Amino acid sequence: MLKNQLFNPVFSELSPSSTLYINETVNAKWSQGEQVFHMGFGESRFDVHPILQRALAQHADKKSYLPARGLPPLCEQVATYYQTKLGIEFGAPQVMVGPGSKLLIYGLQTILDADLFLPTPSWVSYAPQATILGRRAHYISADIQDDYRLHPGALEEALLASDNPNKLLLLNSPNNPSGGALDAGLLQEVAGICRANDVIVLSDEIYFQLCFNRDSHISIASYYPEGTAVLGGLSKHLSLGGWRLGVALMPGSPLGEELMQRMVVFASETWSSVAAPVQYAALQAYGLSDEIEDYVRDCCNIHAIRTRHIRRGLQALGIHCCPVEGAFYIAANFDEFRAGLARKGVHTSSDLSRYLLQKHAIASLPGIDFGIAEQQLTLRLSTSYLDMESAADPDRIYQLYRRGADDEQLMAQQHHPVTAAALSTFAEFIASLEGDEQKL
Ligand SMILES: Cc1ncc(COP(=O)(O)O)c(C=O)c1O
């Protein structure tokens, strides 16, 4: 019965998402009592805001299926929210609610028959989704010397290299894994190229509420509204990944209407609708109330303080880190230490990630998972988990911040002991490489 032909061959080429895999690996190690610095998984750990907890409990009796596009007042609310936040006109008919932005992105990739273009680096799941659908994914080249900046010329070059007239560009700002953000000038240039080449843009802005420089976020939809679908959700800024609620805002154009019609078909034939109690509770999340807005601002500030502190600590060791402008990731590059690493049998980003886990108990993800050439010794380090391991930690740190602790006090060893220990471990690791150098 178990014949090879039974399976879609595409799945032999793919493995479980590396982010979820590293999280399970670390949890297994923790359950055996092993100490691991968990920089492998990006998950905001703050508590569910009490208003949202209450709203979910209040709506536990909502048992019916909802429209595939989403609860109508929620679609209204999301349109108003995005219009207020991004300064772009959106109407409720443009909004779809889905079980996480990941599946909305998959749905959009499914209904389009297009080659996928991805900046280097890009989040782990975009390319495998294209592979599942039998589509080609093209990475747009970028350089660590340039902190992986997207160059319009490189985008044009990549577009020219594909003979498929249907093209889809997936942008993600602030970016997972680099923490970088796309600025207005660049977005304008990219919008011009996409308009000239009929490229549809999926703009994954799931981290926009976590821009460290508040209100600095700009969406490419400001410059290319007719061709851009914006993706977002509750997972990051409200620490609600497990609630599985994402949103898509289709372009305000005939193309957007076509996308919506097809997405409704896709949703109705797959997930039907997002859990009703979660959609009712999300009315509060998108309600622009001061309490929720203040909470998001505080959580964002704490992510910023922690991420910048860790980045500074790594840079002090000579590790090159891309600038961080949002989210809770650092793209750290170890090319500088190539000789010392080679003597330890480390030649690729995968080797490096494995080595750090085995020898120094630091969990990370290798750059190759994000489309970075394997020889580049770049890792994604998440900052969201350190000192937030237990259920009580996030509130402890949040309350400290609310009581007025400044950046230095907040990051003091007594409050962030795991972060301090992780940075010391990196220091030992780097010293072990330099020690080798001196022996030669
Ligand atoms: C860049 C990016 N996009 C999308 C997602 C998926 O988020 P959701 O929980 O909305 O499916 C993630 C989650 O890690 C992400 O980092």
Side-chain angles (χ1 to χ4, degrees), residues 91-380:
Q94 287 170 263
V95 176
M96 169 168 260
V97 180
S101 63
K102 195 180 206 170
L103 217 43
L104 286 164
I105 294 169
Y106 182 70
L108 285 159
Q109 290 213 60
T110 305
I111 62 165
L112 291 161
D113 189 3
D115 273 18
L116 177 66
F117 293 83
L118 296 170
T120 305
S122 275
W123 181 51
V124 291
S125 289
Y126 306 139
Q129 288 188 353
T131 305
I132 289 172
L133 294 165
R135 308 279 161 65
R136 278 184 296 176
H138 309 261
Y139 280 98
I140 303 158
S141 61
D143 226 327
I144 178 64
Q145 273 79 35
D146 215 6
D147 292 318
Y148 298 118
R149 189 177 159 79
L150 171 65
H151 283 282
L155 167 62
E156 280 178 314
E157 211 173 287
L159 293 175
L160 270 177
S162 155
D163 52 10
N164 188 340
N166 300 340
K167 295 179 170 71
L168 180 63
L169 172 66
L170 223 163
L171 295 180
N172 172 220
S173 177
N175 182 266
N176 176 3
S178 77
L182 302 169
D183 60 62
L186 178 58
L187 288 172
Q188 269 168 299
E189 277 193 75
V190 171
I193 294 169
C194 291
R195 185 175 289 117
N197 292 279
D198 275 337
V199 177
I200 298 177
V201 175
L202 299 189
S203 186
D204 181 350
E205 300 178 27
I206 190 131
Y207 293 100
F208 97 79
Q209 296 94 334
L210 298 181
C211 275
F212 296 165
N213 190 356
R214 294 294 290 172
D215 303 325
S216 65
H217 177 74
I218 302 169
S219 172
I220 189 167
S222 303
Y223 308 116
Y224 188 39
E226 74 277 23
T228 302
V230 175
L231 282 305
L234 301 181
S235 300
K236 311 302 175 183
H237 65 297
L238 286 167
S239 314
L240 288 174
W243 278 28
R244 307 309 303 131
L245 188 137
V247 296
L249 293 98
M250 305 303 171
S253 62
L255 165 72
E257 285 166 29
E258 289 281 333
L259 288 175
M260 182 59 92
Q261 273 176 24
R262 286 166 171 78
M263 278 298 282
V264 168
V265 174
F266 184 78
S268 66
E269 299 294 10
T270 51
W271 64 72
S272 296
S273 71
V274 172
V278 170
Q279 292 205 54
Y280 279 95
L283 285 167
Q284 298 289 336
Y286 285 110
L288 292 166
S289 72
D290 288 347
E291 290 100 320
I292 300 285
E293 292 296 298
D294 290 352
Y295 187 56
V296 172
R297 187 202 53 224
D298 290 347
C299 294
C300 173
N301 287 343
I302 298 170
H303 283 305
I305 294 167
R306 287 159 44 92
T307 304
R308 287 175 171 150
H309 174 87
I310 295 169
R311 179 173 180 269
R312 269 196 305 275
L314 295 172
Q315 283 193 302
L317 298 172
I319 300 166
H320 178 87
C321 300
C322 294
V324 290
E325 287 158 283
F328 28 73
Y329 304 105
I330 297 168
N333 179 271
F334 295 77
D335 284 357
E336 191 70 20
F337 306 97
R338 193 177 284 287
L341 286 166
R343 282 191 292 277
K344 298 198 181 290
V346 171
H347 304 283
T348 65
S349 60
S350 306
D351 292 344
L352 178 57
S353 180
R354 248 190 322 269
Y355 182 87
L356 276 176
L357 185 59
Q358 281 166 6
K359 302 285 183 195
H360 296 279
I362 296 170
S364 64
L365 280 185
I368 189 170
D369 289 352
F370 302 88
I372 297 171
E374 179 145 60
Q375 303 75 6
Q376 274 179 39
L377 301 176
T378 299
L379 298 179
R380 185 195 77 173

